[in-house]
Amino acid sequence: MNAPAKKEAVVELQAKDLNGNGGIFCPSPVAGMKLWNTHPRVFLDIAHGGGGAAKCPYCGTVYR
């Protein structure tokens, strides 16, 4: 029996959610992530390249 596929989390951002470099860090409070259940902090560049979206390599959360 196969386990059901995990649904990909998608976080819709507004311009005010991005930092001065046009990105966001994951894990992010915007995504409602709890500090105790997180992974190493990574920078995701949303504004430059990537078509206005980025996917976290650790947890798979998509920010757009």
Side-chain angles (χ1 to χ4, degrees), residues 11-20 22-24 28 30-31 46-47 52 63-64:
V11 178
E12 297 290 335
L13 301 171
Q14 297 180 11
K16 67 180 176 118
D17 297 324
L18 302 178
N19 65 21
I24 194 163
S28 171
V30 176
I46 308 294
Y63 295 88
R64 62 177 172 202

Side-chain angles (χ1 to χ4, degrees), residues 20-54:
N21 294 321
I24 194 163
F25 288 96
C26 187
S28 171
V30 176
M33 296 176 177
K34 303 293 182 204
L35 183 60
W36 61 267
N37 189 25
T38 60
H39 53 71
R41 189 177 188 205
V42 294
F43 177 75
L44 302 171
D45 190 355
I46 308 294
H48 307 103

